[in-house]
């Protein structure tokens, strides 16, 4: 037979067990300060949409309101399959855009230099000077060809390789749009 003392002990045990599973909430204020509480009502209203429940499975992290608690939008924290977010992909695209601009500027300055050497070559009467100018012009032409190849590589990265890689790793395409 179970007596009243045993029932009281069982209820006490259940009550204390229930308390040990209390939820802890975390939020970050506009100054970057991290706050924790186990009382939802202690969370300032403006931070309730972005709170994080501590110690719960990943799907339940990021609850919204006290009455109607919904999971946080997955889009806000979306990452590709390797855990890289929008910042990574936009940074990667911007890096290649900078390379492309630099190469295009270099190619333009080489073209101008090539044209100047051509003018000097055409104006020159000395065969020695013409030979020197021809060699310089040929060097510039080779550099221009190398730069054009690098421009092509950068364009291919931006137009084809990065989008293919983003698709492969399930990154959002808007992260890499130009």
């Amino acid at each position: 037979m179970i007596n009243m003392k045993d029932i009281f002990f069982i209820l006490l045990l259940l009550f204390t067990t229930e308390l040990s599973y209390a939820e802890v909430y975390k939020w970050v204020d506009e100054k970057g300060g991290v706050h924790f509480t186990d009382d939802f009502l202690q969370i300032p209203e403006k931070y309730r949409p972005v709170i994080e429940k501590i110690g719960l499975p990943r799907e339940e992290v990021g609850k919204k309101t006290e009455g109607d608690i919904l999971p946080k939008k997955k889009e806000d924290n979306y990452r590709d399959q390797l855990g890289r977010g929008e910042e990574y992909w936009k940074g990667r695209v911007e890096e290649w855009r900078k390379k492309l601009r630099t190469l295009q500027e270099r190619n333009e300055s080489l073209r101008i230099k090539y044209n100047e050497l051509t003018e000097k070559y055409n104006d020159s009467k000395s065969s020695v000077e013409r030979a020197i100018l021809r060699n310089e012009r040929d060097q510039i032409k080779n550099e221009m060809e190398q730069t054009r190849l690098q421009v092509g590589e950068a364009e291919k990265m931006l137009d084809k390789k990065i989008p293919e890689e983003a698709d492969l790793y399930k990154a959002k395409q808007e992260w890499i749009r130009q």
Side-chain angles (χ1 to χ4, degrees), residues 89-136:
W89 289 99
K90 285 190 173 190
R92 183 128 187 260
V93 168
E94 185 55 34
E95 175 187 343
W96 278 99
R97 282 186 189 151
K98 284 180 184 177
K99 284 181 185 179
L100 178 59
R101 278 192 302 271
T102 302
L103 289 166
Q104 288 170 332
E105 289 167 4
R106 170 120 175 95
N107 199 39
E108 181 60 20
S109 67
L110 287 170
R111 187 189 61 76
I112 290 169
K113 193 171 183 180
Y114 181 85
N115 289 342
E116 289 171 356
L117 289 171
T118 300
E119 283 181 30
K120 286 181 183 178
Y121 177 84
N122 291 338
D123 292 342
S124 177
K125 305 273 189 248
S126 165
S127 59
V128 173
E129 184 181 13
R130 287 174 72 105
I132 292 170
L133 290 169
R134 187 178 28 243
N135 285 337
E136 285 181 44

Side-chain angles (χ1 to χ4, degrees), residues 145-178:
E145 185 56 36
Q146 289 298 320
T147 305
R148 273 195 289 264
L149 291 172
Q150 292 171 336
V151 164
E153 180 184 327
E155 288 172 340
K156 186 175 180 182
M157 283 298 291
L158 288 167
D159 296 339
K160 188 173 181 190
K161 288 187 178 182
I162 292 176
E164 285 175 355
E165 185 179 337
D167 188 48
L168 176 69
Y169 292 114
K170 307 291 187 241
K172 292 184 176 183
Q173 290 298 311
E174 60 261 24
W175 293 351
I176 59 167
R177 287 199 184 112
Q178 298 180 17

Side-chain angles (χ1 to χ4, degrees), residues 40-102:
F40 187 85
L41 298 175
Q42 295 293 321
I43 302 169
E45 216 111 346
K46 65 181 179 180
Y47 299 114
R48 289 181 185 175
V50 293
I51 64 168
E52 182 179 333
K53 283 188 178 180
I54 306 297
L56 295 175
R58 198 97 175 123
E59 296 79 48
E60 293 184 21
V61 172
K63 300 298 178 179
K64 289 217 175 222
T65 62
E66 179 180 351
D68 184 25
I69 299 179
L70 298 171
K72 196 175 187 179
K73 289 182 182 175
K74 289 184 180 180
E75 298 170 39
D76 296 343
N77 295 321
Y78 184 80
R79 300 271 185 235
D80 70 8
Q81 291 180 336
L82 296 179
R84 300 173 299 195
E86 182 176 7
E87 311 81 37
Y88 168 82
W89 289 99
K90 285 190 173 190
R92 183 128 187 260
V93 168
E94 185 55 34
E95 175 187 343
W96 278 99
R97 282 186 189 151
K98 284 180 184 177
K99 284 181 185 179
L100 178 59
R101 278 192 302 271
T102 302

